[in-house]
Amino acid sequence: MPLVDLDRFDFLYSERVKGMKTAATRDLMATLSRPGIISLAGGFPDTRAFGEEAFRAITGSIAQDAAQALQYGPTSGLEPIKDVIVEVMAAEGTPARQEDVFATTGAQQGLDLIAKVFLDEGDAILCEGPTYAGALNAFAAYRPRIAHVPMDRAGMIPVAARETLNKARKQGLHVKFIYTVPNFQNPAGVTLVTERRRELLEIAREFDLVVVEDNPYGMLRFEGEPLPTLAALEQEQEGVVDRVVYLGTFSKIFAPGVRLGWVHAQPGILHKINVGKQGADLCSSNLSQMMIYSFFQNADWRAYVGCLTAMYKERRDAMLESLAEFMPKEVHWTHPEGGLFVWATLPSYLDATAMLPRAIARNVAYVPGEGFYAGGAGKNHMRLNFSFVEPERIRRGIELLSEVVRERMELRSDLERGSQRGARRGSTRSASFASGTDG
Ligand SMILES: Cc1ncc(COP(=O)(O)O)c(C=O)c1O
């Protein structure tokens, strides 16, 4: 086979695309599908739970409307799917009206459209530190400066957010929005407490910003009480939808393969998003929308979410128990009350990126923390997914991973010199702005 010259057209590529990187997990996919590997790396919901019969029932039920399913549709989505979205949002306690929702090709497209609508090169945004790597990728195309606001067990720290915004003002940066994943965050598994949700809204008002609330996991709660969304709190306080742009998705409560999500926002913002989406893909798939509509109309979708939640809870428990059993005491991790991920913190002298090939050689994989920051922090962290692997294999995977960590710790004195420089310091104070293209 001739060698492929990947740099062949470098002189023609845009500056934008030169700075963009593929997500570590996407690059790893081929390796991770190797038989024998226990992958705690993906972010996959377990679509095996859905089953052939249920799938057949859905596809059969839309066959009579084949012509519409195979046709283009309105850019903002079919009317019936908007009713489903309103119902799902209401089930999570967020009042929504049909005219305030807009269907997108996954929440991922929502992130891209929001960046397209709000960001000029050099504008700044605030994200949690760490944050969803796919959001960093989407934002990077618009070349913003990104500040990661530190989190603790209660989510993003408002004092730090405020300090960062003051600093940005002094630097003359134009901050456009705060991006948050408030429930069972990807990657940290942490949930933003209600008081801080209120504070974040207050900060957004004070600095006149938009808040992008990305909530794919809210309905996957294993324990504790559901918390109000920022979108619900804003409506409760102001009586209108204003500066909160809410992103939802069917990926985690139904299936990611249908690629359908939504934006709930103020009409002016939705109008801009509509223009942006026309240039991106004209409309989301009618076929997907009709499949979802059929399932949500004819089946007990709440029971299906309940079944997913029970399955993931068992797997989360298996992960937390095996971490406690096998990991060295110097390793710490989060205790998510829902969602798909645990975030583990290694001693600061360990580099999870450098350790990954060792782990894969031992047949276990995770995502190194670095990809969840713009600008190179997070080296001594790992994201561990528990939704896709059965409990027994999770146990075995954590046991193998613990052996790798232990080995690396035993080499501590050798590693310390090289790794400590890059390790993240656990500051809870204001963050500095990195170029989004680093992430
Ligand atoms: C926080 C977050 N936002 C958005 C997405 C994208 O989801 P979708 O499948 O709806 O595009 C994901 C996917 O894992 C996610 O974790």
Side-chain angles (χ1 to χ4, degrees):
M1 269 244 294
L3 215 60
V4 181
D5 180 3
L6 294 179
D7 302 328
R8 167 84 179 83
F9 290 106
D10 255 10
F11 65 105
L12 294 179
Y13 294 138
S14 67
E15 289 305 315
R16 173 188 326 115
V17 83
K18 282 182 198 162
M20 288 164 71
K21 292 177 184 165
T22 63
T25 31
R26 303 242 126 231
D27 287 344
L28 279 172
M29 262 186 192
T31 313
L32 300 184
S33 51
R34 213 171 69 194
I37 291 253
I38 300 175
S39 175
L40 308 175
F44 288 0
D46 198 338
T47 47
R48 294 165 294 200
F50 197 74
E52 198 177 320
E53 268 320 299
F55 186 79
R56 232 187 268 286
I58 291 182
T59 46
S61 74
I62 62 171
Q64 65 199 23
D65 296 316
Q68 190 187 10
L70 298 172
Q71 194 50 272
Y72 290 113
T75 304
S76 68
L78 297 168
E79 295 301 303
I81 202 70
K82 293 187 185 177
D83 290 335
V84 173
I85 292 168
V86 166
E87 183 185 336
V88 170
M89 288 188 72
E92 227 194 325
T94 312
R97 299 175 314 168
Q98 225 212 39
E99 57 267 40
D100 295 331
V101 298
F102 186 101
T104 54
T105 303
Q108 188 65 31
Q109 186 181 49
L111 290 167
D112 180 62
L113 292 174
I114 286 162
K116 193 174 190 176
V117 160
F118 284 105
L119 298 179
D120 287 314
E121 182 171 353
D123 284 344
I125 54 182
L126 259 58
C127 298
E128 283 137 353
T131 192
Y132 170 49
L136 290 176
N137 280 344
F139 300 156
Y142 304 91
R143 300 165 69 80
R145 296 166 66 91
I146 295 175
H148 289 284
V149 179
M151 286 192 284
D152 59 20
R153 279 194 213 167
M156 189 192 281
I157 301 170
V159 177
R162 194 175 254 111
E163 283 182 18
T164 308
L165 287 165
N166 279 322
K167 193 155 103 185
R169 253 190 196 164
K170 281 196 194 112
Q171 291 175 345
L173 291 173
H174 195 177
V175 183
K176 294 291 183 71
F177 59 79
I178 303 176
Y179 170 67
T180 177
V181 182
N183 293 307
F184 327 123
Q185 197 236 21
N186 179 4
V190 161
T191 294
L192 185 68
V193 295
T194 306
E195 203 35 52
R196 288 193 182 176
R197 294 178 189 222
R198 292 207 169 90
E199 273 185 75
L200 218 57
L201 285 177
E202 221 174 280
I203 291 172
R205 271 182 224 118
E206 195 179 314
F207 288 83
D208 211 0
L209 309 173
V210 159
V211 177
V212 179
E213 175 178 32
D214 185 8
N215 187 27
Y217 305 110
M219 296 200 80
L220 301 180
R221 179 175 275 282
F222 315 145
E223 60 204 20
E225 288 303 307
L227 304 184
T229 61
L230 283 103
L233 286 173
E234 177 182 62
Q235 289 184 69
E236 187 188 296
Q237 292 168 357
E238 316 253 323
V240 288
V241 181
D242 188 27
R243 61 182 70 245
V244 177
V245 178
Y246 177 97
L247 299 180
T249 180
F250 289 101
S251 289
K252 319 293 170 174
I253 56 170
F254 177 58
V258 291
R259 306 305 305 124
L260 205 83
W262 68 90
V263 182
H264 173 267
Q266 183 261 9
I269 295 176
L270 286 190
H271 174 69
K272 296 286 186 222
I273 283 180
N274 193 321
V275 176
K277 185 171 163 74
Q278 287 176 31
D281 65 355
L282 303 177
C283 62
S284 295
S285 156
N286 271 9
L287 180 61
S288 289
Q289 293 177 61
M290 288 167 72
M291 284 177 69
I292 295 168
Y293 179 70
S294 163
F295 178 69
F296 280 72
Q297 269 299 101
N298 302 318
D300 187 349
W301 67 270
R302 286 181 176 79
Y304 182 61
V305 174
C307 141
L308 289 176
T309 312
M311 182 168 69
Y312 297 161
K313 179 183 186 305
E314 193 191 350
R315 294 174 183 187
R316 188 246 2 216
D317 291 346
M319 183 167 277
L320 293 181
E321 280 159 23
S322 45
L323 281 165
E325 186 175 338
F326 298 118
M327 276 291 170
K329 66 175 184 346
E330 292 82 354
V331 178
H332 305 282
W333 52 89
T334 54
H335 290 70
E337 292 187 325
L340 313 185
F341 306 108
V342 167
W343 180 248
T345 303
L346 303 170
S348 60
Y349 54 84
L350 285 192
D351 180 338
T353 307
M355 195 176 80
L356 185 60
R358 301 278 319 152
I360 291 177
R362 300 284 280 277
N363 278 340
V364 61
Y366 57 86
V367 185
E370 232 179 322
F372 302 100
Y373 287 89
K379 281 195 167 58
N380 62 320
H381 296 272
M382 305 185 283
R383 190 192 73 178
L384 303 170
N385 167 262
F386 53 77
S387 58
F388 196 65
V389 178
E390 294 80 6
E392 265 322 293
R393 281 171 58 78
I394 288 178
R395 274 185 70 75
R396 179 67 186 140
I398 296 294
E399 188 178 2
L400 290 168
L401 188 54
S402 304
E403 286 167 15
V404 176
V405 172
R406 227 176 267 284
E407 270 172 29
R408 305 316 278 176
M409 286 176 65
E410 279 158 17
L411 291 171
R412 170 185 178 147
S413 51
D414 291 351
L415 287 167
E416 217 167 7
R417 277 190 300 276
S419 301
Q420 216 158 20
R421 251 176 296 129
R424 184 164 92 87
R425 309 281 184 273
S427 156
T428 57
R429 287 291 143 188
S430 72
S432 55
F433 287 85
S435 152
T437 52
D438 294 352

